[in-house]
Amino acid sequence: MKQGELASYLDDYLQIKAIEDSSNNGLQVEGADQVTRLAFAVDASLIAFEAARAAAAQMLIVHHGLFWGQPIMVTGIHLRRLQTLLDAGLALYAAHLPLDFHHQVGNNVTLARWLKLEGVEPFGDYKGHAAGTAGRLAQPSSLGQFAAQVEQALGEPVLRIWPFGSEIVQKVGIVSGGAGPLVSQAAAAGVDVYLTGEVSHIAYHEAQELGMNVVYGGHYATETAGLKSLAEHLSGRFGLETVFLDLSTGA
């Protein structure tokens, strides 16, 4: 498949122009004209670029790209990263908030599928777009049992549990990544437990005062979901080979 055709499809499918974002989403670095093998990683880092090259990929799709709105001098770390991509003929495609919010392969809806939530629907708001996904567990669960279910789905231990609400939970709200400050939106949606990624100091007292259970699954771990789902979609639609590069930060 031609690189340009794949990038154009991703632009349309992920609706990258429809969501205001600090990330410069889309094709950030051009590479080989033909793409048969895709690599996926959460972060645009030197180790990810080297792993994608070793995996013989022609394009790397990431959640956190290299370019975030402001010009970056091509020196130091940035130079080494770009040089590695160019030497390998490796294209780089980034999808940040569009991959969080996507209704089919997004981080939030994929996490809901992994947790087998029922009656899934959007909640909250981020600049005119639903910030999160909410649904119900098939059966009420203790907070500890739910956290164990999250660990099994993500394959990593949860970072922190704030048990400020009911000991028994059923309705779950999800916003992947660094969305601790959206705890008030989760509370307004009437969820029993809020699942997000990165532990947020500034959200602690708000969660406590709202009586909200919060489970922090890790910024990295919660944002592997959409990439894995997107890989499955592209493999099925175009017959492309895919490889997920699991380069956990533990955070």
Side-chain angles (χ1 to χ4, degrees):
M1 184 175 190
K2 286 188 175 296
Q3 172 196 264
E5 292 175 354
L6 178 55
S8 180
Y9 174 80
L10 287 167
D11 290 350
D12 291 340
Y13 181 65
L14 298 175
Q15 301 178 39
I16 65 166
K17 302 299 184 186
I19 298 174
E20 184 179 344
D21 197 349
S22 58
S23 170
N24 293 335
N25 296 310
L27 187 64
Q28 294 192 338
V29 179
E30 291 184 353
D33 182 59
Q34 292 291 328
V35 177
T36 59
R37 188 171 175 82
L38 296 171
F40 295 79
V42 173
D43 303 307
S45 61
L46 187 60
I47 191 173
F49 301 161
E50 291 173 340
R53 177 171 58 184
Q58 295 86 35
M59 180 183 284
L60 174 63
I61 298 177
V62 298
H63 187 51
H64 302 131
L66 284 180
F67 299 97
W68 295 81
Q70 297 298 321
I72 304 175
M73 299 303 184
V74 184
T75 61
I77 290 174
H78 194 56
L79 171 61
R80 291 195 293 275
R81 289 173 172 173
L82 284 173
Q83 192 67 60
T84 300
L85 289 171
L86 296 173
D87 288 346
L90 180 64
L92 179 68
Y93 188 97
H96 185 231
L97 293 182
L99 191 58
D100 286 314
F101 299 161
H102 198 269
H103 64 289
Q104 292 179 329
V105 299
N107 287 319
N108 299 329
V109 297
T110 301
L111 288 169
R113 283 198 300 271
W114 287 0
L115 294 170
K116 298 180 173 59
L117 299 187
E118 301 173 350
V120 174
E121 57 187 15
F123 80 89
D125 176 77
Y126 180 83
K127 298 184 178 180
H129 298 271
T133 296
R136 301 179 70 83
L137 297 166
Q139 298 293 332
S141 168
S142 71
L143 182 59
Q145 289 171 330
F146 172 72
Q149 186 178 350
V150 171
E151 291 183 336
Q152 183 176 22
L154 296 179
E156 292 200 21
V158 300
L159 301 183
R160 193 69 53 84
I161 302 171
W162 289 349
F164 298 143
S166 170
E167 292 183 6
I168 302 300
V169 301
Q170 187 166 22
K171 188 172 182 181
V172 179
I174 303 170
V175 185
S176 63
L182 298 186
V183 64
S184 60
Q185 294 194 22
V191 305
D192 303 316
V193 57
Y194 177 45
L195 171 63
T196 187
E198 188 171 333
V199 179
S200 172
H201 170 79
I202 63 173
Y204 180 88
H205 295 291
E206 188 173 19
Q208 186 179 53
E209 291 165 23
L210 288 168
M212 176 58 62
N213 292 314
V214 184
V215 173
Y216 289 101
H219 195 138
Y220 173 87
T222 59
E223 292 188 336
T224 63
L227 291 164
K228 291 178 178 178
S229 188
L230 180 60
E232 184 177 351
H233 170 78
L234 294 175
S235 176
R237 185 174 181 87
F238 298 113
L240 296 167
E241 297 179 9
T242 65
V243 57
F244 181 76
L245 308 173
D246 192 359
L247 305 168
S248 178
T249 63

